[in-house]
């Protein structure tokens, strides 16, 4: 596929397959198009004026740019977690219940179940189970980020997009989210953008290296870091630029 911001050709001939139930990391220097591609996977670029996308992005046998796929379909199938934790100014409970309520779940017992399950999946339940009615903003940054993960999981997506989701966090919170991500890949397909090559090497199964809007190399993480095929990948991972 191709993506243009006006005249600027931001993604060039991107042809990728992202395996299910595994972690794929996008790496590359600032401005190479990692976040643009991530946002293409849930059509978050739709709202940016002047964006033109050519080609197909296929999720579960559907080209999400076919003109028929509703954004609602994507919002349910594809969850996203951002760089800065961004819980709503609501209680912990209401943050997690937000998506299910939007999708029509009203029964309290059902919502209670979803909230507990999602918070457990995000490894946050034990820390918050007694303070569910407290404001989400009373949590630490790392807890807020796990709450955002719980909020994303509450609508039972298949795919979880993470855009530098640990870069605003301290090392302990980062480790927690990395461990959590490893656990989540058993049930979800995870695509993450990271500036941190060590993080990609530590937790991802596949790594895609971008440069100037192009995919230079896409390979099993272990292979890409041990024996990159392209000289530019080698230069980047050995710290010669970026
Ligand atoms: N809304 C926009 N309008 C115009 N150009 C944009 C827009 N968003 C991104 N770009 C340009 O597209 C290119 C790719 O940006 P993108 O944010 O995808 O890169 P990135 O690899 O994620 O960078 P970073 O690591 O710094 O976040 C950059 O040259 C950027 O300036």
């Amino acid at each position: 596929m191709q993506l243009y911001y006006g005249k600027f050709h931001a993604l060039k001939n991107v042809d990728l397959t992202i395996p299910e139930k595994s972690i794929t990391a996008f790496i590359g220097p600032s401005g190479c198009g990692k976040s643009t591609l991530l946002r293409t996977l849930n059509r978050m670029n739709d709202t940016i004026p002047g964006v033109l996308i050519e080609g197909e992005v296929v999720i579960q046998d559907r080209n999400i740019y076919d003109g028929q796929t509703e954004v609602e379909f994507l919002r349910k199938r594809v969850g996203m977690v951002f760089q800065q934790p961004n819980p709503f100014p609501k209680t912990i409970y209401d943050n997690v219940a937000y998506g299910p309520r939007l999708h029509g779940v009203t029964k309290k017992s059902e919502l209670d179940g979803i909230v507990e399950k999602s918070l457990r999946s995000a490894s946050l339940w034990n820390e918050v189970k007694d303070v569910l009615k407290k404001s989400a903003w009373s949590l630490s940054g790392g807890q807020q980020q796990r709450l955002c993960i719980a909020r994303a999981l509450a609508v039972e997506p298949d795919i979880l997009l993470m855009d530098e989701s640990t870069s605003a966090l301290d090392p302990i919170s980062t480790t927690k989210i990395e461990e959590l991500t490893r656990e989540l890949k058993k049930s979800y397909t995870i695509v993450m953008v990271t500036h941190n090559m060590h993080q990609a090497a530590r937790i991802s199964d596949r790594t895609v290296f971008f440069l100037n809007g192009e995919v230079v190399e896409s390979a099993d993480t272990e292979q890409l870091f041990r024996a990159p095929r392209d000289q530019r990948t080698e230069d980047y991972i050995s710290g010669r630029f970026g």
Side-chain angles (χ1 to χ4, degrees), residues 42-53:
N42 68 347
R43 283 186 32 200
M44 258 187 58
N45 293 318
D46 279 15
T47 52
I48 302 174
V51 168
L52 173 69
I53 291 165

Side-chain angles (χ1 to χ4, degrees), residues 92-222:
I92 294 167
Y93 184 100
D94 286 342
N95 263 275
V96 185
Y98 182 86
R101 280 181 176 139
L102 211 61
H103 291 289
V105 182
T106 51
K107 227 167 114 199
K108 178 156 184 320
S109 57
E110 196 178 340
L111 283 170
D112 286 354
I114 295 172
V115 168
E116 175 169 346
K117 183 166 173 243
S118 309
L119 287 168
R120 281 189 191 280
S121 302
S123 298
L124 190 58
W125 175 250
N126 287 335
E127 288 157 71
V128 301
K129 62 177 191 288
D130 299 323
V131 291
L132 292 174
K133 296 288 168 206
K134 265 185 130 175
S135 164
W137 289 2
S138 65
L139 299 172
S140 74
Q143 288 174 323
Q144 288 189 18
Q145 196 61 308
R146 279 181 283 140
L147 179 64
C148 292
I149 293 174
R151 185 177 63 188
L153 299 182
V155 296
E156 301 192 322
D158 303 305
I159 301 169
L160 191 60
L161 308 178
M162 304 177 82
D163 197 351
E164 294 185 45
S165 300
T166 61
S167 63
L169 305 179
D170 63 85
I172 291 172
S173 302
T174 299
T175 305
K176 272 199 181 144
I177 295 210
E178 288 185 3
E179 284 167 359
L180 169 61
T181 310
R182 266 199 221 102
E183 196 55 37
L184 291 175
K185 79 169 181 184
K186 293 176 190 157
S187 317
Y188 304 90
T189 301
I190 297 175
V191 189
M192 58 190 288
V193 166
T194 177
H195 264 126
N196 182 337
M197 270 188 283
H198 300 292
Q199 181 170 66
R202 269 196 306 271
I203 66 170
S204 73
D205 302 291
R206 298 276 302 175
T207 297
V208 185
F209 171 57
F210 290 82
L211 200 57
N212 300 324
E214 283 179 87
V215 173
V216 171
E217 190 161 345
S218 168
D220 283 347
T221 298
E222 195 270 328

